[in-house]
Amino acid sequence: MAATMKDLSRETGLGLATISKYFNGGTVREKNRVLIEAAVKKLHYVPNEVARSLKTSHTRVIGVIIPELSNAFITSIISSMEDILRKQDYAVIVCDCRSDPKREKEAVDFLLHRRVDGLINMATDTTGAHLKAPLASGIPVLLVDRLIDSLQGKVSAVVIDNVHAAGQAVQKLTSLGHRQIGLILGSPNLYTTNQRLTGYLNALQDAGIAPDNEYIRYGDYTMDGGYQAAQELLKLKNRPTALFVTNFEMTLGTMLALQHNNIRVPEDLSVIGFDKLELFGEIFPDLTLIRQPQLSIGREAANLMLDMLSSKETGVSRIVTLTTELTEGKSVKALKV
Amino acid sequence: MAATMKDLSRETGLGLATISKYFNGGTVREKNRVLIEAAVKKLHYVPNEVARSLKTSHTRVIGVIIPELSNAFITSIISSMEDILRKQDYAVIVCDCRSDPKREKEAVDFLLHRRVDGLINMATDTTGAHLKAPLASGIPVLLVDRLIDSLQGKVSAVVIDNVHAAGQAVQKLTSLGHRQIGLILGSPNLYTTNQRLTGYLNALQDAGIAPDNEYIRYGDYTMDGGYQAAQELLKLKNRPTALFVTNFEMTLGTMLALQHNNIRVPEDLSVIGFDKLELFGEIFPDLTLIRQPQLSIGREAANLMLDMLSSKETGVSRIVTLTTELTEGKSVKALKV
DNA sequence: TTGAAAGCGCTAACAC
DNA sequence: GTGTTAGCGCTTTCAA
């Protein structure tokens, strides 16, 4: 059906090598160039990337494995990654593993069969077992958002400085006199959860405040989880005077819980949230927030992957750490003494 | 580096054909099966899909072209599509064309070079020019959410019944006595915009109400657009007593505009919105809404594509039309006389 | 049931 | 600058 280079060869009377060189940016005599272009048009020739991939043994495809496609934080990262990658003629195959390690492993195998040139992973499996095979095969593997302890030094990554992020928020609160600060974290054991907890504890220590486990809750990074966690914190005998919530969904849940309990922000309670995403921002416009540079995360990830692809040095680990920003709103207030 | 079937052949002493048959579900003598499996394990053999694709001339890759990846309606469709497709061992390459027809055309070419087996498109270019090539080449093309006039009968699609959807909403309002009904539409000329307008006009006619152009606004399917449109409607001398807003972002914008104008819903104004998406639903929990079955759209699209892929009859056009649902909330109230 | 061999469409020596 | 040729890893007749 589709025309091949052989057809072009026959049509133009030129050899295959000439045609191939034409397509690969080699120098071709002017009149032959014209000849080839005419034949391409006439025969509707479309280069076959599959054949090229087989020959060159690279596919110009990057596999991207994520925990969830229906998540604005993740899609904004993917969106900026895909943009850059496709401009460099790389295709992106997205695999949503629904936060299931088993599916994640299947996705890795799936992509390996397809001989992707590189793998970008926002990892679900915290052990990193699923990445053994691609790492062994020597293809570039890039972690995004979440580091994996056991892979330290073996893999590159783009993350934010979570310890600093949480520190920023908590320090802001302690500087305003708050000493009872509730913390709503994601799922236990996740990299970001641990790091943000560390940042919280560090900041408390810096302020000479002893941490209270009652104030530390896990909200699963979901809106419902955030809602629940906030409810529990509000019921405490020694209710916190301030809250730091560590992702957007939970921030939303927290705000709803406060609304349902008729708690005014910041009059009754100070709140620092996370990740202002376009639409939501308008709903609670005055929230003080820690913001991750999502577009930059995607951009850095794409560029780092491109680097890894073009450099021959395999197995080098490079970690890009981006910093968050504290956006001042009106949801935080000094504690009256 | 990686082991090939030839390596397996050497290792086992069997011919290539036998090995190939083993992998493709053919019958192989028991002892050879064992032999092969041992060799696979020993050599870490991983089948090369690229070579297979070249030989079989199908890639088991579906290209998906969308206007925007950072949109919850779209990602929930993609998510359910990808799930089904990958279970059937099809990979999905996603191309975000940023609602730019030029980029959309580039994406089509990009995917054609890669010899995708099928194309799923939520079209930006309303002329359908970008789909000429894939259609001519005979690969399955499936439209999602938006039909294209010029391609009628030539292409399959999965859409919702937009006329009915708008009709449901408007009829609900007229049945409660409303006669001045504001309509906030998406961008002019988009398929869904036109259809929803038609549904609105039909329902007015059924109720014996003459349409008033003042009441029909275009909000670009964005939150800001919805906000603006609502503002304009509120300023009218003959302000509408009810509003129908035709996508989620604009519904959000509308609600914000109402809030800023201290307009109570439904006391001062009745509102019917569109597409309750998880998180947002909690924020305006009592909104009466027209809901699209996003997961079903994705599922139907995936299955229809799978059908097209496996049937030899090319060029047959099948249109799957899904219906919307009206979810009763508390944002609508009978007009007091 | 198994093996030998051709060939999918391309790239890259190599020789001219 | 151009042509010839081998071969990437697989599937698939065709014979055995």
Side-chain angles (χ1 to χ4, degrees), chain A residues 13-15 17-18 21 28-29 32 55:
Chain A
L14 295 167
T18 311
K21 198 177 283 171
V28 175
R29 204 168 289 163
N32 288 334
K55 183 66 196 180

Side-chain angles (χ1 to χ4, degrees), chain B residues 290-327:
Chain B
I290 297 291
R291 299 180 61 177
Q292 307 188 68
Q294 299 152 26
L295 264 32
S296 302
I297 296 176
R299 181 161 17 89
E300 291 294 327
N303 286 329
L304 184 45
M305 176 51 78
L306 254 13
D307 269 13
M308 296 165 79
L309 254 12
S310 61
S311 92
K312 44 241 81 245
E313 40 177 30
T314 170
V316 194
S317 159
R318 256 196 297 166
I319 310 288
V320 174
T321 305
L322 270 21
T323 56
T324 51
E325 215 174 89
L326 184 121
T327 305

Side-chain angles (χ1 to χ4, degrees), chain B residues 110-213:
Chain B
F110 179 80
L111 293 168
L112 253 25
H113 286 193
R114 304 192 108 89
R115 295 292 197 269
V116 294
D117 287 348
L119 225 41
I120 298 180
N121 182 207
M122 184 158 166
T124 289
D125 184 345
T126 53
T127 71
H130 61 299
L131 295 175
K132 285 279 180 306
L135 250 15
S137 78
I139 79 166
V141 176
L142 178 61
L143 258 24
V144 168
D145 185 62
R146 304 169 183 180
L147 256 26
I148 295 179
D149 280 347
S150 68
L151 264 31
Q152 209 153 34
K154 295 187 195 155
V155 72
S156 291
V158 176
V159 292
I160 60 153
D161 187 342
N162 288 284
V163 175
H164 174 72
Q168 274 181 300
V170 177
Q171 195 208 315
K172 173 88 196 167
L173 295 169
T174 58
S175 74
L176 290 168
H178 291 278
R179 301 184 62 83
Q180 293 157 245
I181 301 173
L183 173 68
I184 303 186
L185 292 166
S187 316
N189 302 325
L190 276 189
Y191 170 76
T192 48
T193 300
N194 296 339
Q195 295 288 303
R196 289 167 199 177
L197 173 57
T198 302
Y200 168 87
L201 294 173
N202 288 354
L204 285 191
Q205 182 160 37
D206 289 350
I209 301 169
D212 181 343
N213 278 330

Side-chain angles (χ1 to χ4, degrees), chain A residues 43-284:
Chain A
L43 303 177
H44 302 292
Y45 172 76
V46 174
N48 185 327
E49 284 299 329
V50 177
R52 190 200 296 247
S53 291
L54 179 60
K55 183 66 196 180
T56 61
S57 64
H58 52 247
T59 52
R60 296 194 87 83
V61 176
I62 306 296
V64 175
I65 307 175
I66 51 168
E68 208 69 60
L69 195 50
S70 311
N71 173 302
F73 171 65
I74 297 177
T75 52
S76 71
I77 291 178
I78 296 200
S79 179
S80 81
M81 258 173 18
E82 196 261 335
D83 194 29
I84 294 173
L85 258 11
R86 183 140 52 87
K87 276 195 186 115
Q88 304 298 323
D89 220 51
Y90 278 91
V92 168
I93 293 183
V94 181
C95 297
D96 177 345
C97 73
R98 309 285 159 106
S99 295
D100 175 355
K102 185 161 154 287
R103 287 204 196 198
E104 187 173 47
K105 175 75 173 85
E106 286 166 6
V108 170
D109 292 342
F110 179 81
L111 293 168
L112 252 25
H113 286 192
R114 303 193 109 90
R115 295 291 196 270
V116 294
D117 286 348
L119 225 41
I120 298 181
N121 181 208
M122 184 159 165
T124 289
D125 183 345
T126 53
T127 71
H130 62 298
L131 294 176
K132 285 280 180 307
L135 249 16
S137 79
I139 79 166
V141 175
L142 178 61
L143 258 24
V144 168
D145 185 61
R146 305 169 183 180
L147 256 26
I148 295 179
D149 281 347
S150 68
L151 263 34
Q152 209 153 33
K154 295 187 195 153
V155 73
S156 291
V158 176
V159 292
I160 60 153
D161 187 343
N162 288 283
V163 174
H164 174 72
Q168 274 182 299
V170 177
Q171 195 207 316
K172 174 88 194 166
L173 295 169
T174 58
S175 75
L176 290 169
H178 292 277
R179 301 185 61 84
Q180 293 157 247
I181 301 173
L183 174 67
I184 302 186
L185 292 167
S187 316
N189 303 324
L190 275 189
Y191 170 77
T192 48
T193 301
N194 296 338
Q195 295 288 302
R196 288 167 200 177
L197 173 57
T198 301
Y200 168 86
L201 294 174
N202 288 354
L204 285 192
Q205 182 161 39
D206 289 349
I209 301 170
D212 181 343
N213 277 330
E214 288 260 283
Y215 290 160
I216 301 173
R217 303 282 159 165
Y218 294 85
D220 207 29
Y221 281 146
T222 65
M223 194 185 60
D224 284 348
Y227 185 91
Q228 287 305 330
Q231 289 281 20
E232 289 168 20
L233 287 169
L234 294 175
K235 282 197 199 108
L236 289 180
K237 219 171 4 197
N238 251 323
R239 192 208 263 184
T241 60
L243 253 40
F244 172 45
V245 194
T246 59
N247 89 332
F248 194 82
E249 282 77 2
M250 298 193 303
T251 302
L252 220 50
T254 298
M255 296 307 287
L256 291 172
L258 300 185
Q259 219 165 273
H260 290 178
N261 285 280
N262 290 314
I263 291 180
R264 294 164 306 165
V265 173
E267 291 79 0
D268 306 327
L269 187 73
S270 288
V271 176
I272 297 185
F274 219 87
D275 271 347
K276 172 169 171 163
L277 300 172
E278 313 84 64
L279 294 179
F280 297 94
E282 307 280 335
I283 297 164
F284 302 114

